[in-house]
Amino acid sequence: MPPQVSEDVEVPALPQDHPSLQEQPVWIFGYGSLIWKPGFQFTSRRIGFIRGYSRRFWQGDSYHRGNQQAPGRVVTLLEDANADTWGVAYQVQQEQLRHSLEYLNHREGVLGGYVCKMVTFHPQGLQARGSILALAYIATPQNPLYLGPAKTEHIAGQILCCSGHSGHNLDYLLRLAQFMRSACPEVEDEHLFSIEAATLRSSQPRVIGKLKPCPDVPLLSWT
């Protein structure tokens, strides 16, 4: 039977009185679907990266991009001293924080199997000075949806066959690849791009044709 996450599970998360959440403002780092669909209120956002982690399609998803019978594949972070992971950090003011964390703990924790950790975010650009402490949701091997490594062709095949409440798994992959090429074209994400290439080699045109634009956040607009 495929792994499952119960909605009654207790999700490890930082308490809202944690010292790191008392700073003004709080930043939340997204490296997967939070890039194009944050789903919570924020004041501003910045493209950038965190050091010491690589992004991998090693987490199963039985709700957003798959189901209990056929879980999809979404990204998590793997500790890797020589790697950077690019994404978007969102600035959240204190009056927005409670609602934002409740939403994310349910979306990423209860439904996704992720836990909350602190990371150091480095904004993109010559004018970006210093680093920012940010929250990030990371799926570890201890969660029941964790799938772990697999051959590129296997991951691609699984992505092509799965869909969930948030849409087709291929849509998730292509949006992430599009973000990388538009926001940081000089960065080569070998894991991501090799899976993208494998899916495009294998997919039928009718699968691509069914993918719909995301209405929530224009991917190419970062002002």
Side-chain angles (χ1 to χ4, degrees), residues 80-97:
D80 183 346
N82 299 317
D84 298 334
T85 293
W86 285 77
V88 177
Y90 297 91
Q91 183 188 63
V92 179
Q93 300 295 344
Q94 284 296 321
E95 62 271 17
Q96 303 168 325
L97 185 59

Side-chain angles (χ1 to χ4, degrees), residues 1 5-6 71 85 91 96 118 142 149 179-180:
M1 178 179 294
V5 168
S6 167
T85 293
Q91 183 188 63
Q96 303 168 325
M118 302 302 301
Q142 287 71 44
F179 162 76
M180 288 297 296

Side-chain angles (χ1 to χ4, degrees), residues 55-127:
R55 176 169 40 210
R56 293 290 183 266
F57 275 84
W58 289 5
Q59 173 68 356
D61 188 335
S62 62
Y63 184 85
H64 297 292
R65 300 291 177 171
N67 56 50
Q68 299 288 4
Q69 290 69 44
R73 284 247 180 190
V74 292
V75 292
T76 185
L77 295 178
L78 177 70
E79 290 190 11
D80 183 346
N82 299 317
D84 298 334
T85 293
W86 285 77
V88 177
Y90 297 91
Q91 183 188 63
V92 179
Q93 300 295 344
Q94 284 296 321
E95 62 271 17
Q96 303 168 325
L97 185 59
R98 181 179 180 85
H99 177 268
S100 297
L101 290 183
E102 287 177 350
Y103 168 78
L104 287 170
N105 287 341
H106 182 74
R107 169 178 163 176
E108 303 296 323
V110 173
L111 298 178
Y114 291 71
V115 296
C116 194
K117 295 186 177 182
M118 302 302 301
V119 296
T120 301
F121 175 77
H122 303 270
Q124 180 189 53
L126 296 177
Q127 296 179 351

Side-chain angles (χ1 to χ4, degrees), residues 2 9 11 24 38 48 54 64-65 81 102 104 123 131 137-138 142-143 168 178 200 210 212 217:
V9 69
V11 181
Q24 291 280 354
S54 55
H64 297 292
R65 300 291 177 171
E102 287 177 350
L104 287 170
S131 58
Y137 286 81
I138 301 174
Q142 287 71 44
N143 85 83
H168 202 287
Q178 183 185 356
L200 294 179
K210 290 181 180 179
K212 297 179 180 179
V217 179

Side-chain angles (χ1 to χ4, degrees), residues 208-222:
I208 302 293
K210 290 181 180 179
L211 303 181
K212 297 179 180 179
C214 178
D216 299 272
V217 179
L219 187 58
L220 299 180
S221 176
W222 299 102

